[in-house]
Amino acid sequence: MLRTHTCGELNMSHLGQTVTLCGWVQKSRDLGGTTFIDVRDRYGLTQLVLNTDTDATLRETARSLGREFVVKVTGKVLERTSKNSKIPTGDIEIAVEALDVLNEAKIPPFLIEDETDGGEELRAKYRYLDLRRNPLRQNLMLRHKIAQEIRKYLDGLNFIEVETPVLIKSTPEGARDFVVPSRMNQGEFYALPQSPQTFKQLLMVSGFDRYFQIVKCFRDEDLRADRQPEFTQIDCEMSFIEQEDILNIFEGMARHLFNTVKGIDLGTFPRMQYADAMRLYGSDKPDIRFGMQFVELNDIVKGKNFGVFDNAELVVGINAKGAASYTRKQLDELTEWLKRPQIGATGLIYMRHNDDGSLKSSVDKFYNEEELQKWSAAFNTKPGDLVLVLAGQTDKVRKQLNELRLEMGSRLGLRSKDVFAPLWVLDFPLLEFDEESGRWHAMHHPFTSPKPEDIAMLDTNPGAVRANAYDMVINGIEVGGGSIRIYDRALQSLMFKHLGFSPEEAQKQFGFLMDAFEYGAPPHGGIALGFDRLCSIFAGLDSIRDVIAFPKNNSGRDVMIDAPSTIADAQLQELSIKTTV
Ligand code: ASP
């Protein structure tokens, strides 16, 4: 070893010892005769003191040092005269006897400090330097700790970690596949897994019983703050279980992680039906850190000659408690915000419950005080409250009101990053209709089992069939989802039929799984949790990017290594591929 200690561990108990440290120069201050240097490694920062008056070699070397030079120092641990209580090594300093430059460094393109001056693009290009900064290092250390705790918890419950292949064929999970051309099989392509779904099910057929894998998944979809083209799942599957078992074991895992990593007791997770989540929050991943539940108003507002409400399928609102002080200007601005194409509302109607007890709405022409009293009762308003109402087609208006609810929650300070509100959302629909393709799609994936009592409706009312599917949601973020699977050929074929596959297509794409079901497939089910998302929640971040060592940007590019990039003609030829761009 080049060093005896790290830059984060020396304290008063080491006084008088001669030690050797290695690290990067954080900064250097020449006070004429004495030079102070802060040297940093992943464990911390230690102050070096150099008597440059008496030692000429030391003086030369000290003068040559720049930020981020890599150095090795040997010296004695001394008590500091002016201590720094903010860092663990703040009581001591090293009186340097020997200083070696192990490597020089160019001036870094941005400050390697907690608060940096580097823009996002620049830091992405020099990600390896950005990763030297404390906040990012801490995120990755947190990620490591969570991963270890996951392994400990699952290993303790007899789960075994099995790796599944990365070059596979398409597993439909609702996104586009990334594909890889095969040189040895000209004209043919592998797909990268959107998840190891079919493989983990096959492992159940093989009798492995309890499987997990912390695994990369690949989905070619439009990127957002919480999406990356490659991301990591905690993928799990179990045999001989019921939905209740999965919920208990993985609720237990989330509790274990919050407990061990954050010292927080999450308690028992509430459970909500999908239909209730949509009705009360307009979202299948409700943020229940705050109430502000939807109140439907059709019964009390229709038939009063107000066309907007009379013609709407659903009139629904929220009570933004304490927001009655919103001015006309703020309400106009909120209306404009709702009308942006991203949200698409046609307008916003409001009612103020004034401090003097009077009720004042933007539709006073149609609703007198007596009518507004009914609104007030429905929303249980108190003086100071502001009721916000939207009207329109049910699905659309719920989505819009969900956005408004989250926005008001944020504005009213109800969404603290230090509060954690988990829940299970249960009984998702099996199918959803896709307007674009005019077909039914599996809401979760095609291997999810329908509730047995709903199977008969597959022909008559497919949209009403419920699945044995569940999502884990924390603070409005879907952290995981899974289902109890189909495990017999007949039902799996029926499912493919309803998804618009011909028997031949189903056999070609998923014959391997259906064949396996004929060789003694156990009842099974599972779940996958988004590891990056979980880490970002723990770290209090909005984006998953900073819990990933080398993430892609919004256009799916890694600007550090410059990928994706074109490849040599010879490579294309070898693959018999011609590009047209
Ligand atoms: N494979 C699913 C997904 O990636 C999870 C599961 O059903 O276990 O969402």
Side-chain angles (χ1 to χ4, degrees):
M1 298 265 201
L2 296 187
R3 59 186 174 190
T4 58
H5 293 83
T6 70
C7 298
E9 66 176 306
L10 297 171
N11 55 39
M12 297 293 277
S13 71
H14 301 92
L15 287 190
Q17 286 185 25
T18 297
V19 298
T20 302
L21 302 182
C22 293
W24 288 261
V25 173
Q26 177 80 31
K27 64 176 176 221
S28 159
R29 299 175 302 285
D30 182 354
L31 302 184
T34 313
T35 299
F36 289 98
I37 297 171
D38 287 342
V39 62
R40 179 195 74 233
D41 64 10
R42 88 168 228 230
Y43 305 91
L45 196 82
T46 301
Q47 175 166 294
L48 313 177
V49 49
L50 287 74
N51 187 339
T52 41
D53 245 358
T54 48
D55 188 331
T57 343
L58 213 50
R59 182 166 59 235
E60 282 310 298
T61 323
R63 286 212 174 128
S64 74
L65 292 182
R67 272 177 180 269
E68 303 304 315
F69 273 43
V70 188
V71 294
K72 178 178 150 199
V73 295
T74 300
K76 207 173 258 163
V77 182
L78 300 184
E79 184 169 1
R80 277 204 215 181
T81 39
S82 67
K83 296 188 175 161
N84 177 354
S85 59
K86 291 202 195 98
I87 56 171
T89 60
D91 288 346
I92 58 97
E93 61 193 5
I94 311 297
V96 176
E97 286 148 21
L99 168 64
D100 290 323
V101 173
L102 298 179
N103 212 342
E104 298 184 354
K106 287 213 251 180
I107 296 172
F110 49 85
L111 284 177
I112 301 192
E113 281 172 14
D114 293 6
E115 296 294 330
T116 175
D117 56 353
E120 206 167 307
E121 182 79 17
L122 188 66
R123 283 187 289 123
K125 180 154 185 248
Y126 296 93
R127 182 72 171 179
Y128 50 91
L129 295 181
D130 208 16
L131 288 172
R132 283 189 194 160
R133 296 193 308 118
N134 279 322
L136 283 184
R137 198 190 60 239
Q138 276 157 4
N139 291 346
L140 291 189
M141 282 162 52
L142 176 72
R143 185 181 173 111
H144 164 78
K145 167 103 176 118
I146 299 173
Q148 299 317 306
E149 289 301 335
I150 289 166
R151 291 201 161 94
K152 250 192 246 165
Y153 178 83
L154 292 174
D155 180 57
L157 291 173
N158 275 332
F159 281 79
I160 43 178
E161 193 166 4
V162 183
E163 286 167 272
T164 52
V166 171
L167 297 175
I168 66 165
K169 97 180 186 180
S170 177
T171 40
E173 302 252 2
R176 234 173 262 120
D177 287 322
F178 280 104
V179 293
V180 180
S182 164
R183 180 186 53 81
M184 284 193 283
N185 304 274
Q186 296 267 307
E188 295 186 312
F189 295 80
Y190 300 101
L192 301 183
Q194 293 185 29
S195 88
Q197 185 61 35
T198 48
F199 288 96
K200 65 174 172 175
Q201 292 193 241
L202 292 169
L203 286 170
M204 294 303 110
V205 179
S206 307
F208 280 89
D209 192 45
R210 291 182 167 205
Y211 142 95
F212 87 100
Q213 184 180 191
I214 299 185
V215 61
K216 273 285 170 72
C217 303
F218 307 85
R219 297 184 189 178
D220 188 1
E221 51 193 352
D222 293 337
L223 304 181
R224 294 190 308 234
D226 61 352
R227 276 200 191 148
Q228 283 273 305
E230 52 176 310
F231 59 98
T232 307
Q233 281 189 347
I234 310 157
D235 193 43
C236 309
E237 197 75 7
M238 303 174 76
S239 293
F240 306 120
I241 43 82
E242 291 172 328
Q243 174 167 308
E244 195 58 32
D245 303 302
I246 304 263
L247 300 187
N248 287 333
I249 287 183
F250 292 96
E251 182 171 326
M253 185 172 90
R255 264 205 299 272
H256 172 79
L257 295 177
F258 272 84
N259 229 323
T260 49
V261 180
K262 269 193 125 36
I264 290 176
D265 179 7
L266 284 185
T268 306
F269 291 16
R271 296 176 180 193
M272 199 183 292
Q273 298 284 307
Y274 169 87
D276 291 335
M278 297 311 288
R279 187 172 54 81
L280 296 171
Y281 299 93
S283 167
D284 58 3
K285 40 179 191 291
D287 184 347
I288 58 165
R289 275 175 295 185
F290 64 109
M292 219 188 272
Q293 288 183 349
F294 291 11
V295 176
E296 300 190 349
L297 296 173
N298 284 17
D299 290 348
I300 57 175
V301 299
K302 289 211 175 214
K304 311 286 174 199
N305 293 325
F306 181 42
V308 174
F309 284 177
D310 285 348
N311 299 329
E313 193 182 353
L314 179 67
V315 182
V316 59
I318 49 173
N319 178 1
K321 291 206 144 301
S325 57
Y326 260 50
T327 60
R328 184 61 201 261
K329 193 165 158 237
Q330 280 174 303
L331 285 161
D332 286 347
E333 174 245 335
L334 202 58
T335 311
E336 287 314 309
W337 180 85
L338 279 165
K339 283 183 175 171
R340 290 173 313 144
Q342 297 94 307
I343 301 188
T346 46
L348 170 67
I349 281 146
Y350 60 85
M351 181 193 80
R352 274 200 198 93
H353 194 145
N354 293 319
D355 287 339
D356 62 6
S358 65
L359 302 171
K360 173 97 190 95
S361 84
S362 54
V363 285
D364 282 353
K365 227 162 86 190
F366 303 97
Y367 300 90
N368 58 24
E369 179 91 20
E370 193 187 325
E371 290 297 333
L372 293 181
Q373 285 298 347
K374 293 187 196 157
W375 295 31
S376 169
F379 286 100
N380 190 21
T381 63
K382 301 272 171 306
D385 291 353
L386 175 70
V387 167
L388 299 167
V389 179
L390 299 180
Q393 192 260 327
T394 302
D395 291 348
K396 283 197 184 129
V397 87
R398 281 181 173 163
K399 268 200 197 114
Q400 294 158 358
L401 192 61
N402 164 51
E403 299 285 347
L404 181 61
R405 173 180 176 271
L406 294 176
E407 176 68 17
M408 292 311 293
S410 297
R411 290 188 187 197
L412 296 171
L414 304 172
R415 303 178 71 196
S416 159
K417 289 211 164 74
D418 300 323
V419 174
F420 298 95
L423 80 153
W424 288 107
V425 178
L426 305 177
D427 299 345
F428 277 75
L430 184 71
L431 303 167
E432 67 186 335
F433 194 72
D434 181 53
E435 302 284 347
E436 227 169 82
S437 57
R439 275 175 31 170
W440 291 95
H441 282 251
M443 191 147 181
H444 189 46
H445 51 55
F447 319 107
T448 295
S449 65
K451 291 218 176 271
E453 63 271 29
D454 289 1
I455 292 180
M457 281 192 298
L458 270 172
D459 284 316
T460 52
N461 187 4
V465 176
R466 290 164 307 155
N468 285 316
Y470 31 80
D471 273 1
M472 185 193 286
V473 175
I474 301 180
N475 292 0
I477 297 164
E478 179 198 327
V479 292
S483 60
I484 301 300
R485 324 297 185 190
I486 295 168
Y487 64 100
D488 76 275
R489 179 167 201 130
L491 186 55
Q492 190 63 71
S493 307
L494 183 70
M495 185 66 186
F496 284 131
K497 184 180 132 218
H498 282 280
L499 294 172
F501 285 77
S502 70
E504 295 72 33
E505 282 168 343
Q507 181 60 30
K508 181 160 182 274
Q509 219 181 330
F510 299 109
F512 65 94
L513 185 68
M514 292 194 286
D515 291 347
F517 286 172
E518 293 187 302
Y519 290 94
H524 61 285
I527 191 167
L529 294 119
F531 184 49
D532 312 289
R533 285 188 191 171
L534 204 58
C535 293
S536 69
I537 293 175
F538 272 82
L541 298 168
D542 293 322
S543 160
I544 61 172
R545 222 170 274 162
D546 281 345
V547 292
I548 297 173
F550 299 104
K552 311 264 187 294
N553 73 7
N554 273 343
S555 337
R557 298 200 69 83
D558 182 325
V559 294
M560 180 182 68
I561 59 170
D562 191 24
S565 53
T566 51
I567 56 172
D569 283 343
Q571 275 175 300
L572 286 173
Q573 263 164 27
E574 215 169 34
L575 297 163
S576 304
I577 286 179
K578 270 205 187 80
T579 57
T580 56
V581 281

